[in-house]
Amino acid sequence: MKNLILAADVGGTTCKLGIFDNHLDRLAKWSIQTDVSDPTGVVLLKTIYSAFVQKLNELNLKMEDVIGLGVGVPGPVDFETGIVHGAVNLNWPGDVNIREILSQFVNFPIYVDNDANAAALGEKHKGAGHNADDVVAITLGTGVGGGIISNGKLVHGHNGSGAEIGHFRVDFDQRFACNCGKYGCLETVASATGVVNLVKFYHPKLTIKSSILELIKEDRVTAKDVFDASKKGDLFCLFITERVANYIAYACSIISVMSNPKYIILGGGMSEAGDILIENIKTEYRNLTFTPAQNGTEIVKAQLGNDAGIAGAAGLIKTYVIDEERVE
Ligand SMILES: [Zn+2]
């Protein structure tokens, strides 16, 4: 009986691999080094396939019992075709058709999505999303990523660029350049880099004393320094934390009007700042958001951490194969 799901969360340094059952309960988890020597992707994908063969053997499980393989990758993905349009961290400069390459080795369905969408799906199924049909996940790390699940399905849009929450323009003064080539994106004011942007911008303008003055002057201040000092009552850092929270709340309010999520899940390194950031986001979100669109919506911290990606890769098979009754 087919009852297994294979999952791969492909990262620039390691690939996290997993075997799940058809209820998304995890049977095995391990990781392998990412081989970035081959720009066509074939070598890495074949290595991943071989790792699954070996692990299934070790566990006395059979490849013919596999329902499908889900893959999360750090790059823009065309969900329909399974093509990733370049992945800098994997040394894949051009298009790599992940589904086509892996189909040479296996004959079950293969679904591919970008890592932020996979993480959102993981949190929906096994984490803070409690399997609700409408869930939004925002990853606040070095950059800002996100995934929107609406009516149980990920929002991809016509060319896969849907739910690129990090590139929502929230800073209308457009003070900081974004990696995408535009200005004022959420990522420029609400990522770890964005926090530092705001510190550098406001520090010369404000006369408030700050405990992190030396770090600012020496140009080595981090987002964590700012949140840590905020917790101790540093007024300048509290001001910055509120600014950051307001931008995130604004993005959440627009998303709420559009897709009315039950849960807005905040993950990534910055969510570790804890209540000082999240409580400020909640307060401003309640102020800003159209009342019917915020009723019953909860803003919560992610639960799965680094395991969200692999749970979500498996979730692709649960959502798009098992729940759609496409098991062959
Ligand atoms: Zn941008």
Side-chain angles (χ1 to χ4, degrees):
M1 185 193 146
K2 284 182 185 284
N3 57 1
L4 300 174
I5 298 171
L6 306 183
D9 177 18
V10 181
T13 318
T14 59
C15 296
K16 297 191 190 71
L17 306 179
I19 301 173
F20 293 73
D21 70 14
N22 50 355
H23 303 291
L24 288 183
D25 287 326
R26 197 171 65 205
L27 308 175
K29 179 183 93 161
W30 72 108
S31 56
I32 60 171
Q33 291 288 313
T34 302
D35 184 335
V36 293
S37 64
D38 169 25
T40 71
V42 174
V43 169
L44 175 59
L45 294 171
K46 193 166 182 200
T47 307
I48 290 171
Y49 164 72
S50 303
F52 281 124
V53 171
Q54 192 185 342
K55 186 63 79 177
L56 286 166
N57 279 337
E58 278 172 34
L59 298 173
N60 266 326
L61 298 170
K62 296 196 194 84
M63 193 63 94
E64 54 258 41
D65 291 335
V66 173
I67 297 165
L69 163 60
V71 184
V73 284
V77 171
D78 181 333
F79 186 71
E80 295 300 317
T81 59
I83 296 173
V84 55
H85 298 297
V88 182
N89 293 342
L90 305 179
N91 184 32
W92 296 354
D95 287 2
V96 173
N97 193 329
I98 294 177
R99 180 179 292 152
E100 189 177 274
I101 293 169
L102 286 170
S103 293
Q104 295 168 23
F105 311 120
V106 299
N107 59 3
F108 43 69
I110 295 160
Y111 279 78
V112 185
D113 212 331
N114 74 60
D115 48 8
N117 279 348
L121 200 57
E123 286 289 344
K124 167 201 150 62
H125 278 293
K126 300 303 279 186
H130 301 283
N131 216 10
D133 272 346
D134 296 278
V135 171
V136 171
I138 304 177
T139 307
L140 305 164
T142 319
V144 175
I148 297 176
I149 294 155
S150 182
N151 296 329
K153 298 284 167 63
L154 283 157
V155 171
H156 291 106
H158 82 92
N159 72 4
S161 306
E164 285 287 352
I165 294 167
H167 301 287
F168 222 92
R169 178 171 288 166
V170 297
D171 175 22
F172 298 111
D173 297 330
Q174 300 179 52
R175 289 167 293 181
F176 314 111
C178 185
N179 288 326
C180 73
K182 299 220 183 304
Y183 286 79
C185 297
L186 184 62
E187 188 163 295
T188 68
V189 287
S191 62
T193 321
V195 173
V196 175
N197 283 343
L198 290 173
V199 166
K200 287 181 179 167
F201 180 83
Y202 283 110
H203 172 251
K205 294 183 170 52
L206 295 175
T207 49
I208 310 170
K209 284 201 180 110
S210 174
S211 58
I212 60 164
L213 192 62
E214 286 304 309
L215 294 174
I216 297 170
K217 280 184 179 165
E218 291 164 17
D219 201 14
R220 55 188 183 89
V221 66
T222 66
K224 186 174 186 304
D225 297 328
V226 174
F227 296 129
D228 285 348
S230 291
K231 286 179 208 165
K232 292 178 189 152
D234 183 297
L235 290 178
F236 175 72
C237 292
L238 277 168
F239 170 81
I240 298 292
T241 301
E242 273 178 32
R243 300 302 311 149
V244 173
N246 289 357
Y247 289 121
I248 296 168
Y250 174 70
C252 291
S253 78
I254 302 290
I255 294 166
S256 285
V257 174
M258 294 195 300
S259 75
N260 189 215
K262 170 68 184 151
Y263 295 101
I264 298 176
I265 302 169
L266 304 176
M270 268 175 54
S271 69
E272 300 302 324
D275 289 349
I276 194 86
L277 183 63
I278 290 190
E279 290 305 317
N280 272 296
I281 293 170
K282 285 182 186 170
T283 305
E284 183 68 1
Y285 172 79
R286 297 296 171 207
N287 288 337
L288 283 174
T289 310
F290 177 53
T291 306
Q294 61 160 285
N295 282 344
T297 298
E298 293 179 48
I299 296 180
V300 294
K301 222 180 116 180
Q303 289 178 356
L304 300 183
N306 289 332
D307 287 342
I310 195 169
L316 291 171
I317 301 305
K318 171 83 174 137
T319 305
Y320 294 96
V321 181
I322 297 173
D323 292 350
E324 297 275 295
E325 297 180 342
R326 288 184 185 156
V327 181
E328 285 163 16

